[in-house]
Amino acid sequence: MPSPQFEPPFDQLLATAERVARERPDVDLEMAREVFEEAATLLYNGLAVEGLDEHDAHVVVAGLCEDLVSVDPGAAVRRRTRAALDEPAGLHDPKGVAAAYEVSTRILQL
């Protein structure tokens, strides 16, 4: 079954599923797609990056992509939330980015 199309920045999640399946032989590609499609849908419908400019929205989703494949995704996203406020290098709206990460942890139940 073909994967749904997601607009940027949420398309990064599907690319992550593909990458992880290529890099980790123990990961089933179809299962990875299903999980990341669900994450993309939840984040999109939950308006996780609402109010952020394109740059910061991409940063948030890229961070989530990295953290969701870590050993402890919840802890990783919480660290990233704090870092957005403590070390906002390159962010246009550090408070908005931190809020987007917080909302994402709730949406994804991390």
Side-chain angles (χ1 to χ4, degrees):
M1 173 161 51
S3 296
Q5 295 296 318
F6 289 94
E7 296 292 320
F10 300 102
D11 60 335
Q12 294 177 77
L13 288 154
L14 297 181
T16 298
E18 302 279 337
R19 180 182 56 78
V20 168
R22 274 193 316 275
E23 293 174 357
R24 298 182 185 176
D26 59 320
V27 173
D28 177 71
L29 175 58
E30 291 307 313
M31 182 62 72
R33 282 183 184 149
E34 185 177 322
V35 168
F36 279 88
E37 285 173 10
E38 180 69 14
T41 300
L42 290 170
L43 292 167
Y44 175 81
N45 289 342
L47 305 173
V49 297
E50 187 72 15
L52 295 179
D53 67 15
E54 186 176 330
H55 171 268
D56 284 355
H58 277 276
V59 167
V60 167
V61 176
L64 290 171
C65 288
E66 190 175 318
D67 294 346
L68 289 174
V69 298
S70 70
V71 173
D72 186 347
V77 176
R78 286 187 289 280
R79 278 191 300 275
R80 197 174 293 277
T81 302
R82 286 188 299 276
L85 297 171
D86 295 342
E87 303 167 23
L91 298 176
H92 300 163
D93 179 6
K95 288 181 183 177
V97 168
Y101 283 127
E102 281 187 30
V103 166
S104 297
T105 61
R106 289 185 182 99
I107 291 170
L108 298 175
Q109 300 179 10
L110 299 175

